[in-house]
Amino acid sequence: MCFVAGVALCDAVLALAPALAPVLALKWPNDLLLDRAKLSGILIESTSAGGVTAVAIGIGVNIL
């Protein structure tokens, strides 16, 4: 799940700023890097009850 969220985040950033493609990278398991500096982090929490699984995905963006 974490990898899927990372790829989706990367795709979203590239959709808005395609020129960043050469300097954008995913660092396993939960960081998006811009020119080797951390741009964003992803946190995932999940819980299961009664055969149902719920997942919460949070994305934090570094601005400094």
Side-chain angles (χ1 to χ4, degrees):
M1 183 64 65
C2 194
F3 185 71
V4 173
V7 170
L9 176 60
C10 188
D11 287 349
V13 170
L14 290 175
L16 294 173
L20 294 180
V23 293
L24 204 61
L26 287 172
K27 179 183 167 198
W28 181 256
N30 62 350
D31 292 334
L32 183 63
L33 305 179
L34 178 63
D35 202 18
R36 290 179 271 151
K38 185 175 178 179
L39 173 66
S40 179
I42 301 165
L43 294 174
I44 297 181
E45 292 286 331
S46 65
T47 187
S48 294
V52 176
T53 300
V55 178
I57 300 172
I59 298 168
V61 179
N62 296 351
I63 57 172
L64 296 178

